[in-house]
Amino acid sequence: MNPDDEFSEFGEQLRRPLDVKLSEFQRNGRLKHLILASQLDSELLERLRRMADMIRHLSRTRQGNLRLKGLLAHRRAMLYFTQPSTRTFLSFMAACQILGVTCNEVRDAATSSESKRESRMDSIRMFSSYFDVIIMRTVIPCFSECCAFLMNRLESASMRSVPIINAGSGADEHPTQALLDMYTILRTFSEDYTQESKPSRFVAQQSGKPVEAGPGHKTYLFCGDLGRGRTVRSLASVLSQYEKVRMFFVSPDNDVLRMERKLLERLRNSGVECEEFHSLDATIDGRPILEEADCLYMTRIQREHNSSVDEQNQSEMNLADFRITPERTSRMRSWAPIMHPFPRDSVTGEIPVSIDADPRAMYFRQARNGMWARAALLVHMFDASEELMEIYSNRQFHQAT
Ligand code: NCD
């Protein structure tokens, strides 16, 4: 079936203004579904950060782990990932395991009844009969959003309905990656990590000149495939809510790879100072952009989306301008984390392994942060935050192992 026909019944709902849609994805001050990065406001991010910290802290002891495992042991999750994934899939699965959530998976539509011409919407509704949450990644941009509309429709008809979590929708959105990126940024630019952080953890304040706490008042440099990188789109949207944010977008000068015009306009309208460049060595007002950045967010070129024309164009590009090198990192601020959603491209080498030992290299910790942040998200969505806080504040068992 043509996907356009398949989702046409939701066309009108999809086209409504963002604020109307956002209110439908919330319930009683909590997320009912997580579909769009714009749902992650600063207050919610702070709440999730605190919960993620509690979970990581509790998981250091056997007793803490056992208590966490009981928290959502009565819940079941469906991981419907028909697009390749390593980190998002495994960290969601690990998050479920930490909280005692039982999970099952469909990773290839050919192994489901979609191969018998079942519509995708019927498959999703079927999952909702057996599971308590559907975590989904597909190549179709609007699919998870339509699933949330379907669940809301079922709920209004007093039928069974479960939360939908968008774990990557085509080249469009990746809100849970934005969540873990923000968790990493909040931790890096936080003031209160003295007693709980391990001495090796990189905290901006400890690495040179004091830098203003929090994500605001900072310059973020995004580099790579900004046109098709959904992680950049989602993170930039979330960061745009903070004060005095400047964003530098470094990509090849090419319609496919540079930042989408509409998104740039939206960011500018929300007060972000945006500048575009075509090399990491570019300057602004005579100063190298690398020296101005408080955070560097690298991405790979998403070759799987290439047409043969794109392939041809890219084979003629000099991608060296979009790679970091020890020489380039030596010019960066001592407090600027180097982030990447991963996977990195081992052939293009936008971040060579020689950078991994740099204390600012955040990407492996960023990936691990995804597990804690996604666990916190599940606790929040299943309304178990108070129970988590109770377990956390009742920590005599921390010393038990
Ligand atoms: C990203 C994705 O799938 O969008 N990976 C991830 O979820 N960590 C980035 C990418 O594939 O380049």
Side-chain angles (χ1 to χ4, degrees):
M1 188 188 286
N2 177 344
D4 288 344
D5 300 339
E6 202 168 346
F7 301 116
S8 60
E9 61 174 311
F10 298 102
E12 230 168 84
Q13 277 176 286
L14 282 168
R15 283 189 291 274
R16 290 168 309 156
L18 192 64
D19 49 334
V20 178
K21 294 200 281 189
L22 291 187
S23 66
E24 288 178 6
F25 300 154
Q26 313 283 128
R27 183 187 2 233
N28 303 333
R30 277 190 301 117
L31 296 175
K32 181 167 157 189
H33 308 287
L34 177 56
I35 306 299
L36 308 165
S38 326
Q39 289 178 263
L40 300 169
D41 62 43
S42 57
E43 195 243 338
L44 174 61
L45 286 167
E46 192 48 42
R47 268 158 66 193
L48 292 173
R49 173 182 82 104
R50 282 198 301 270
M51 288 201 288
D53 283 349
M54 287 177 205
I55 296 169
R56 79 194 297 153
H57 196 83
L58 283 165
S59 74
R60 286 190 199 142
T61 65
R62 182 169 184 271
Q63 274 304 317
N65 266 301
L66 291 175
R67 294 298 305 272
L68 284 170
K69 260 199 185 315
L71 202 56
L72 295 177
H74 56 305
R75 300 293 194 174
R76 289 186 298 277
M78 163 49 81
L79 299 174
Y80 175 66
F81 276 59
T82 53
Q83 200 190 10
S85 174
T86 305
R87 274 143 292 271
T88 308
F89 178 81
L90 291 176
S91 66
F92 259 120
M93 184 166 262
C96 285
Q97 286 162 348
I98 289 169
L99 301 169
V101 179
T102 315
C103 3
N104 221 316
E105 63 185 74
V106 168
R107 299 204 68 174
D108 178 0
T111 64
S112 80
S113 288
E114 278 180 46
S115 65
K116 299 180 191 168
R117 309 209 323 200
E118 177 172 68
S119 76
R120 293 182 178 91
M121 281 314 198
D122 271 359
S123 294
I124 293 291
R125 189 162 169 193
M126 246 0 112
F127 299 153
S128 77
S129 306
Y130 308 130
F131 297 94
D132 301 307
V133 60
I134 300 171
I135 304 166
M136 56 186 289
R137 163 176 289 200
T138 74
V139 284
I140 306 167
C142 64
F143 188 14
S144 57
E145 198 171 337
C146 292
C147 292
F149 295 145
L150 171 70
M151 291 300 141
N152 285 359
R153 195 183 284 177
L154 291 170
E155 188 185 30
S156 323
S158 306
M159 291 187 199
R160 186 172 162 79
S161 156
V162 302
I164 304 286
I165 298 178
N166 176 2
S169 47
D172 192 33
E173 281 259 12
H174 197 344
T176 67
Q177 179 72 38
L179 169 65
L180 75 94
D181 291 342
M182 285 307 301
Y183 179 48
T184 305
I185 289 169
L186 288 166
R187 280 173 69 81
T188 303
F189 294 115
S190 127
E191 278 164 340
D192 58 351
Y193 274 105
T194 39
Q195 86 270 40
E196 293 206 355
S197 59
K198 299 212 175 108
S200 63
R201 203 176 76 69
F202 174 74
V203 178
Q205 274 77 4
Q206 294 168 4
S207 53
K209 200 175 118 198
V211 49
E212 184 140 356
H217 301 265
K218 307 227 156 32
T219 297
Y220 295 87
L221 195 167
F222 295 93
C223 175
D225 186 344
L226 309 182
R228 301 175 297 187
R230 56 191 171 191
T231 66
V232 171
R233 300 169 60 79
S234 289
L235 179 58
S237 303
V238 174
L239 281 170
S240 69
Q241 68 188 296
Y242 294 93
E243 270 196 11
K244 293 227 167 357
V245 165
R246 189 159 66 145
M247 296 186 192
F248 292 166
F249 297 109
V250 182
S251 71
D253 189 6
N254 170 291
D255 281 346
V256 172
L257 301 176
R258 68 181 188 175
M259 199 65 176
E260 188 204 19
R261 304 293 94 184
K262 249 173 46 198
L263 179 56
L264 263 185
E265 194 186 309
R266 199 148 44 85
L267 294 170
R268 287 193 173 116
N269 289 342
S270 51
V272 180
E273 202 185 313
C274 300
E275 305 288 345
E276 288 186 279
F277 305 93
H278 305 301
S279 164
L280 278 170
D281 295 325
T283 58
I284 182 162
D285 302 329
R287 291 185 309 276
I289 54 171
L290 270 176
E291 292 177 23
E292 292 281 298
D294 296 299
C295 176
L296 172 63
Y297 194 96
M298 299 293 296
T299 63
R300 71 185 171 92
I301 305 290
Q302 310 238 331
R303 292 188 185 276
E304 68 275 26
H305 300 298
N306 275 357
S307 64
S308 49
V309 178
D310 297 335
E311 273 300 328
Q312 175 63 31
N313 289 344
Q314 284 164 29
S315 66
E316 288 157 16
M317 273 173 205
N318 182 8
L319 293 178
D321 285 338
F322 312 97
R323 254 180 232 139
I324 55 171
T325 58
E327 192 280 318
R328 283 183 173 137
T329 52
S330 72
R331 289 191 275 138
M332 285 172 54
R333 291 175 158 165
S334 60
W335 62 81
I338 302 168
M339 298 174 68
H340 191 309
F342 265 35
R344 61 179 156 189
D345 186 327
S346 57
V347 179
T348 307
E350 67 275 6
I351 302 188
V353 288
S354 57
I355 306 293
D356 296 359
D358 189 310
R360 295 165 296 182
M362 204 57 69
Y363 26 92
F364 286 106
R365 275 172 280 179
Q366 191 183 342
R368 186 162 164 83
N369 282 345
M371 180 173 73
W372 310 121
R374 288 177 169 126
L377 176 69
L378 291 170
V379 170
H380 166 83
M381 291 183 79
F382 282 126
D383 202 11
S385 317
E386 277 181 26
E387 232 174 299
L388 171 64
M389 278 182 242
E390 216 176 282
I391 296 175
Y392 185 73
S393 52
N394 195 1
R395 268 173 294 160
Q396 62 279 21
F397 50 78
H398 278 188
Q399 274 79 42
T401 51

